[in-house]
Structures are given as structure tokens and as C-alpha cells.
Amino acid sequence: MARRWTIQKNKSVLDNDLSPPSFTMSRPSRRTYQPGVDRELFQVLQSEAAHLEGKEIELASQIKALSEALVSVRSTLSTIRFRANECAKRISPAARLPDETLLAIFEEAVSGQDVCSRTRVESAITRVSHRWRRIALHTPRLWTRVCVTPDTDERDVQLHLSRSADLPLDVEVWGWWDYRDSFTRPHHFEHTLAIVLPSASRWRRMKIGASCDTLLTSLSFILRTVGPLDALQQVTFKAQQPGQICPTTLLMGKSAPNLRSIDAENIVLTARSPCLHNHDFDCFIGVTHLILRLHEGDARALKTTTELQGFHALLSRMPNLVSLSLYGELVSVKSATSLEDEGNITLPRLQTLILHPNTVRPRYLRNLIAMVMAPELRHFELVYPDSFTQGQDISDLLLQKGCEQPTPKFPLVERLVLNNAANITSAAAFIRAFPAVDQLTISGADVGIIDLPTWEEGSWRTITRLTLRPSQRDHLSMVVDWLNAVTSNGDLKVPLVRGPITDCPIMLRLYEELKRYTQIELFGMDSK
């Protein structure tokens, strides 16, 4: 007990020593409890909470109403925009066109597009608008042109085959310049061709060109294995380069019993050509149109010319031939002996003969014209290249001299086209050779024959359609003077004048003068 008191005493002393001598701490007084004030505060807070809760409900109701109004406004706005777009479409010239007119435009665009175009026009049309897509998808004939090129997508080929329904197809194999093109994707040529081959019975036209010899050989072999092409009516071939020869197997022979038209470039035929064998005598019996061309780089190449015997044999297998067109000097007559041995080429149903020698001095043209016998000919066309040198004169071959008076070789010709073919000395012979001409087209230097006395004396003054194509200003000036003279007499029907577009002031003035006499059509470009 004495020890505890000592500790407390010492602690009291220590506390007194540590305390600041001038500071004294007073104990705060305890607040008195007031229940009325707290109850009043609680009621105020409850009132404020109730007011805010009401405000929250009101705002939530407004948000809901505004949200519903926003949805309604958006829906109305979408409808109005759609109607505005429809009105804008109806206002635009293209939208006002009827479906038939749009379809005619689409068909022209599809048929005129480049074969090597990566984006097909018919596919692009389907992505323009709902209306255009509907028209394209409901017109199978827009999808009948099937192109097999190095850039062709196999899926696009399948799409064309399905969308074309069961209509005849126009198949084009084009642009395989090198065999390596087929390996842009492995075996692309074989795979793409394999997709098209099952539709061979629907092929109406087949166009092959701008392809290397290796792929042409492969294609020829494949076509011989697909069976008869009963619907095929037209075959077209274009050489890739000078010197390339058209495989005779592409003429199809008996593989195409209904073939009607052949357009081939650089085809070489001999009497021993497989397509002219005796057992194939009737393979071309249905052909009515034959166009043979020489590549522009092969003008003087004997390698790409057809022997007279082969040409004669080919035409003898075409008794129903109606139109024959020869571009370039592609038939070789080596000697007068061979000419006599072969005799005449009689084409009893031929109505159109078109000759474009592509040179003013052809070697075999006279021999060829001397051989052709076409009693029913209605259209004759002889076009030499524009040159300061007159084309070879063949007017003496157009008149048969077996009787007292020379008689026309083609007396029934109604349409005649001449370019650089008639000069001062031969104009009278041409007029006598074609007495029944009703439609005459003369161009280039031949325009000058209208101002000759033989014109006034001949039968061409009674033609119903005269088309003049002056290519130079002196020729055009001659036409103006001639029309000024003859129209004053009132005894000549006004001709049609076609000329090149030009910026030459003299020719423009002459065109203006021509408007007083006749109708004028301008074509091409001429910067001279």
C-alpha cells in the first residue's frame, strides 16, 4: 500500500513537471438534447426527397415520350428520304426511260464491250440500282456472250451460263498471247474451257483469235471431241500476228452441220486440205456467207495465201453461197495454165461480192474476177487503198466481148461501191458494165467521174441514192461545182454527201455551201 502511494505520488509530481506552467485546460460542457429540432429536420429532408422523386418520375416520363417521338421522326425521315430519292430518280432523264429503251441500251453496251474487259458490262449493270438489276436478271439474252480470256473468272463464266437460261451462246476465246498465260493460275485455260464445253450444244457463234499456236492446236483437238455443234452458225478467226495460219479444223466441217457463216483470217487451203476431202463434200453445203481476210502484215507473204485449186474446191462445196468478201490478195494464181485447168467459178446464188485488195497493184485480182461467174449478183464493191496512184483497172473484165456489143458480166447489180477504182478512161466502161445500178457510192479520187461527159450520157443519172465521199478539198470543191450546175437544171435527184470531220477552213466553207443542195454526213477525224 505504501509502495502504490509512492508511485502515484511520483507520477503526480512528474505530470506536474511536464505541464506548461502558464496553460490551463478547461473541460467543454455537454450539449443539451433537443428532440423537436431533429424531428423538424427529418420532416424537411423527407419533403425534399419526395419532391425529387416526383421530379425524377416526371423527367423519366419526358425521356420516354421524347424517345418515342425520336423513333417516329426517324421513321418518317427515312420514308421521306426514300420518296425523295424516288422522285429524284423519276426526275432524272435515265429514270424516265421505259424498260424497253433501257434494255436496248444495255444490249448495245454488252455487244460493244471489249472482249478482254475485266469487268463485264452486264455484271456492272446489276450493281447500279434495283431497277437496273431487275431488268438485267430478267433478260437472259444479256448473258449469252461468254468470253474465255486470261482474265476470265471461272465463277463469272458459270454465272453467264446459268443466267442465260437455255438461249444460244456466243463464245469467244481470245487473248491467249502466250502459253504461259494459261499458268497465271494453274491450268486456267483448260479449267475455264472445261466449264464452257458442257454447253457446246448451245453455241451459236464462236470467235477465236489473238492466241498462240500451242493453244490453238489444243483447242482444235478439244473441239473435235465435244461432238456435233448443232446450233453453231458462225465461226470467226483472227490471227495473232503476221504469218500465223488459221487451222483448217476450226472451219468445223461436219462438226457443225448448220454452219452458215465463216470469217477467217490467214487461212491456207490446198487441194489436199483435210476439210476439202471427198467424204466431206457436203460439210459446207449450208454456208451462205464467206469472208476471207489476209493479215495486214502479210500483204505480200506467199506463206499465207490460198492456192487457186483449194479456193476453187472450197467454193464448189458452197452451192448456197450468197455473200463472198475477200480482204487482201489471198488467192494465188501462179500461172495461166492453172487458170485454164480450173475453169470458171460458178456461184449461182451469189448476190454480194466485196473485193478489198489492200494494194493498188494486186497480182491475182484480174484472174480471180475473170473466173467468177455470178449471174444473180446484186452488190459489187471494189475498194482500193487511198493513194495518188490509181488502182488496177479491171473495167475491161466487167464486159463480155463474145458478141457484137459488149454485154455486162453482172447485169443485175443494184448497189455499187467504188474507191480509187475508176478513172477518166475507165469511167465509161464502169457505167456500161452496171446499167441497173440504183444505189451508188463513190469515194476518194473516183468522185471526179461525176464531172465527166460520160456521166451525163450514161444510165447512172437515174439512180435513187448517190453517196459521195470526197476525202480531199479539191474533190469536195468539184462536188460543189457539179451540184451547182446540175441542180439548176432540176433533172437530178439530190445525192447524199459524206465527208470527214475537219478543222480546215476551206473544207468547212465548202460544207456550208453543200448544205444548200444536199444532206451532209460527217465522219472520222482529219486534222489536215
Side-chain angles (χ1 to χ4, degrees):
M1 184 69 180
R3 186 179 178 180
R4 185 183 304 168
W5 181 87
T6 304
I7 294 174
Q8 292 179 351
K9 183 177 179 180
N10 293 336
K11 182 179 180 182
S12 177
V13 173
L14 182 61
D15 292 338
N16 292 332
D17 293 338
L18 294 176
S19 298
S22 60
F23 177 78
T24 59
M25 181 179 295
S26 62
R27 190 173 183 178
S29 61
R30 183 175 298 177
R31 184 176 64 87
T32 306
Y33 177 67
Q34 300 178 356
V37 175
D38 291 338
R39 187 177 297 109
E40 184 179 354
L41 178 61
F42 175 72
Q43 292 176 350
V44 171
L45 293 176
Q46 266 191 332
S47 175
E48 291 181 357
H51 175 72
L52 293 176
E53 288 176 355
K55 191 69 173 178
E56 180 186 14
I57 295 174
E58 180 183 356
L59 293 176
S61 177
Q62 293 180 1
I63 291 174
K64 182 179 180 181
L66 292 175
S67 299
E68 293 176 353
L70 179 61
V71 172
S72 177
V73 168
R74 287 176 175 174
S75 176
T76 304
L77 178 61
S78 177
T79 302
I80 292 176
R81 284 177 175 173
F82 177 79
R83 294 178 61 185
N85 291 335
E86 292 297 319
C87 291
K89 291 178 181 179
R90 289 194 295 269
I91 293 173
S92 67
R96 293 198 300 269
L97 294 175
D99 290 355
E100 294 77 9
T101 304
L102 279 177
L103 181 57
I105 296 173
F106 295 164
E107 289 178 338
E108 186 67 23
V110 170
S111 62
Q113 67 182 318
D114 185 66
V115 63
C116 296
S117 176
R118 294 191 176 185
T119 302
R120 308 304 300 170
V121 171
E122 56 271 27
S123 298
I125 289 173
T126 62
R127 298 190 289 268
V128 174
S129 66
H130 292 290
R131 182 191 179 197
W132 286 28
R133 180 177 178 84
R134 173 180 55 80
I135 295 174
L137 295 183
H138 287 79
T139 310
R141 62 178 180 270
L142 289 179
W143 306 89
T144 57
R145 187 182 179 190
V146 180
C147 301
V148 181
T149 69
D151 296 323
T152 298
D153 190 338
E154 298 173 8
R155 293 171 296 179
D156 185 67
V157 173
Q158 294 174 338
L159 194 64
H160 278 70
L161 294 178
S162 62
R163 290 181 175 177
S164 60
D166 295 327
L167 295 181
L169 300 174
D170 300 334
V171 179
E172 301 183 34
V173 182
W174 203 269
W176 300 88
W177 290 94
D178 194 294
Y179 186 66
R180 289 171 295 180
D181 287 339
S182 64
F183 292 98
T184 305
R185 285 167 285 179
H187 306 293
H188 181 45
F189 177 77
E190 291 82 1
H191 287 173
T192 307
L193 194 61
I195 297 174
V196 183
L197 287 177
S199 64
S201 61
R202 297 168 51 196
W203 294 4
R204 173 182 54 189
R205 300 186 184 95
M206 183 172 61
K207 187 176 182 180
I208 303 170
S211 300
C212 64
D213 292 330
T214 304
L215 290 180
L216 284 179
T217 303
S218 174
L219 179 62
S220 301
F221 175 78
I222 293 174
L223 291 178
R224 288 198 301 269
T225 63
V226 298
L229 306 176
D230 295 330
L232 189 62
Q233 298 182 8
Q234 180 179 345
V235 173
T236 302
F237 172 80
K238 182 172 177 58
Q240 176 191 23
Q241 58 190 0
Q244 186 181 48
I245 297 174
C246 171
T248 56
T249 52
L250 293 182
L251 299 183
M252 304 314 295
K254 285 190 174 181
S255 298
N258 295 312
L259 190 63
R260 296 292 180 266
S261 175
I262 297 176
D263 185 347
E265 188 175 65
N266 280 13
I267 187 169
V268 177
L269 297 174
T270 66
R272 299 175 300 278
S273 296
C275 64
L276 302 177
H277 285 173
N278 292 332
H279 63 273
D280 283 341
F281 185 82
D282 60 344
C283 60
F284 300 117
I285 195 171
V287 174
T288 58
H289 292 73
L290 176 63
I291 302 175
L292 299 180
R293 307 175 188 269
L294 193 66
H295 193 282
E296 59 183 9
D298 291 319
R300 292 286 180 178
L302 295 177
K303 174 184 176 182
T304 52
T305 57
T306 292
E307 294 182 2
L308 178 60
Q309 294 83 358
F311 183 69
H312 192 285
L314 177 64
L315 294 185
S316 64
R317 285 157 174 75
M318 299 179 177
N320 297 309
L321 192 65
V322 174
S323 175
L324 173 62
S325 302
L326 303 178
Y327 294 87
E329 196 174 14
L330 42 82
V331 180
S332 172
V333 184
K334 296 182 179 179
S335 65
T337 304
S338 62
L339 184 64
E340 294 174 359
D341 293 341
E342 289 299 324
N344 293 330
I345 302 176
T346 302
L347 303 171
R349 299 188 179 183
L350 189 69
Q351 296 188 11
T352 300
L353 179 60
I354 298 176
L355 303 172
H356 287 233
N358 294 340
T359 175
V360 294
R361 288 292 178 266
R363 291 172 290 187
Y364 311 119
L365 178 63
R366 288 181 58 85
N367 294 334
L368 182 61
I369 292 179
M371 295 179 63
V372 173
M373 304 299 294
E376 297 296 324
L377 195 66
R378 296 294 192 276
H379 178 102
F380 182 82
E381 183 171 329
L382 178 58
V383 176
Y384 290 106
D386 289 326
S387 173
F388 292 105
T389 304
Q390 189 70 30
Q392 188 179 51
D393 185 13
I394 56 115
S395 60
D396 58 313
L397 301 175
L398 301 176
L399 294 169
Q400 298 176 341
K401 301 179 176 61
C403 46
E404 296 181 0
Q405 291 292 334
T407 59
K409 185 174 184 177
F410 308 119
L412 302 181
V413 169
E414 299 172 351
R415 297 178 301 277
L416 178 63
V417 179
L418 299 175
N419 183 79
N420 202 22
N423 53 28
I424 297 177
T425 58
S426 63
F430 273 102
I431 293 175
R432 290 195 301 269
F434 301 103
V437 168
D438 183 64
Q439 301 177 25
L440 174 64
T441 299
I442 50 179
S443 56
D446 292 355
V447 172
I449 68 175
I450 63 176
D451 201 28
L452 298 177
T454 52
W455 180 279
E456 295 295 327
E457 300 170 1
S459 60
W460 285 3
R461 298 181 72 252
T462 60
I463 60 177
T464 59
R465 183 177 178 87
L466 171 63
T467 302
L468 306 176
R469 296 177 181 174
S471 56
Q472 300 179 9
R473 65 185 185 184
D474 54 341
H475 299 155
L476 188 60
S477 178
M478 182 186 302
V479 172
V480 173
D481 296 338
W482 175 73
L483 282 175
N484 188 25
V486 297
T487 53
S488 60
N489 300 330
D491 57 354
L492 178 71
K493 294 185 178 180
V494 178
L496 168 69
V497 177
R498 301 185 74 239
I501 297 175
T502 179
D503 55 2
C504 175
I506 298 178
M507 292 193 70
L508 292 176
R509 178 180 58 80
L510 293 173
Y511 284 148
E512 289 296 326
E513 293 186 24
L514 280 175
K515 290 181 180 180
R516 296 183 300 171
Y517 307 109
T518 183
Q519 178 183 356
I520 298 177
E521 292 181 2
L522 301 183
F523 62 93
M525 292 297 295
D526 184 8
S527 59
K528 296 181 181 180

